Amino acid sequence: MTRKNEEDQGAVLLRYGKAVLWGGGVAFLVGLGILFLASLGISHGLLDAGLRYQLTVVSCVLGSFTGGIFAVRSSPARGLFVGLAAGSVLFLLQLSLGLVLYGGLSLESGGFGLLFGDLCGGAAAGILTGGGKKRTSRKGKKRRNR
């Protein structure tokens, strides 16, 4: 009996992990797309180049929000935790890519803003979208009282 429960728990954890990783990937791609649009706006003179950090944090929040929604929708339940985890995956992707490209780790130069942007976007997605897949209720035909 316990073997069956362990297998069920493993399957549930696998579904959560898969949803969180996919959500982090979607968040990364959406954030990258927003940064691309921001760079086009800066190059065409529509946006000021001094807003780079603010645009980066906004892209983190919007990307994490989108990835969090994706993760929460594809996971069984527990929206807030799944959204936060998707935001954490996005931050870890950004951190590892920054380490590979720039060779150093400096949270003082804007890393905390990115971290809080990622976590807040994922948490907002988890709170606003609620649980995951909702269970359908079995309501039969209404009986008339005679």
Side-chain angles (χ1 to χ4, degrees), residues 20 24 64 82-94 115 118-119 122:
V20 166
S64 179
V82 172
L84 280 172
S88 300
V89 166
L90 175 60
F91 180 71
L92 291 176
L93 282 172
Q94 292 169 341
L115 172 65
D118 291 337
L119 292 179

Side-chain angles (χ1 to χ4, degrees), residues 110-129:
F112 286 117
L114 299 179
L115 172 65
F116 291 130
D118 291 337
L119 292 179
C120 289
I127 290 170
L128 293 177
T129 54

Side-chain angles (χ1 to χ4, degrees), residues 15-30 61-79 82-87 89 121-133:
R15 282 188 290 179
Y16 279 131
K18 181 178 163 187
V20 166
L21 288 177
W22 275 105
V26 167
F28 183 75
L29 291 177
V30 169
V61 171
L62 293 177
S64 179
F65 184 75
T66 306
I69 288 175
F70 183 83
V72 169
R73 293 280 180 195
S74 60
S75 69
R78 305 213 193 324
V82 172
L84 280 172
V89 166
I127 290 170
L128 293 177
T129 54
K133 299 175 181 176

